[in-house]
């Protein structure tokens, strides 16, 4: 599904109040939480949510502009492929090494 094929141009906050609860008894990584949110909004809206997150990374903190990119792919677990999920891959242009200190 492409963004243009579903007739909308951006992420829109749902009109109804939503609540999500994670029981992270052993912790959760940010990419795992983002993947669960993408799965929760469904396949029609997930491209818009992902684009919204990327826009926030680009426009939020100027020091982070251009540092990260996010890709997703659908994965299936178990020998019968009965568990499906979204896998979020976060890439850093610094390969997750420390970024150089900005010069004043």
């Amino acid at each position: 599904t492409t963004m243009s094929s579903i007739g909308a141009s951006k992420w829109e906050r749902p009109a109804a109040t939503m609540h999500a609860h994670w029981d992270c008894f052993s912790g959760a990584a940010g990419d795992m939480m983002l993947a669960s949110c993408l799965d929760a909004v469904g396949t029609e809206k997930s491209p818009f949510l992902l684009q919204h997150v990327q826009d926030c990374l680009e426009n939020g903190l100027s020091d982070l502009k251009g540092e990260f990119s996010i890709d997703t792919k659908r994965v299936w677990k178990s020998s019968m492929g009965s568990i499906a999920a979204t896998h979020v891959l976060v890439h850093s242009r610094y390969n997750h090494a420390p970024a150089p200190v900005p010069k004043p």
Side-chain angles (χ1 to χ4, degrees):
T1 304
T2 63
M3 289 187 217
S4 59
S5 68
I6 44 184
S9 60
K10 64 178 186 165
W11 169 251
E12 295 177 11
R13 190 178 303 267
T17 301
M18 298 176 66
H19 174 83
H21 177 81
W22 285 279
D23 186 7
C24 304
F25 63 90
S26 63
D31 59 338
M32 295 168 61
M33 295 183 80
L34 176 56
S36 66
C37 289
L38 293 170
D39 278 343
V41 298
T43 56
E44 287 188 7
K45 294 182 180 179
S46 64
F48 301 110
L49 178 57
L50 183 60
Q51 185 62 51
H52 179 71
V53 170
Q54 289 177 327
D55 290 345
C56 288
L57 280 174
E58 285 291 313
N59 301 318
L61 297 172
S62 60
D63 290 343
L64 295 180
K65 189 167 185 74
E67 183 174 345
F68 297 103
S69 65
I70 303 172
D71 294 317
T72 62
K73 66 179 181 178
R74 198 74 176 152
V75 294
W76 290 265
K77 299 292 181 179
S78 88
S79 60
M80 299 179 65
S82 57
I83 299 174
T86 299
H87 183 180
V88 172
L89 302 159
V90 180
H91 306 283
S92 167
R93 72 177 180 185
Y94 300 110
N95 294 322
H96 300 288
V101 176
K103 295 180 181 177

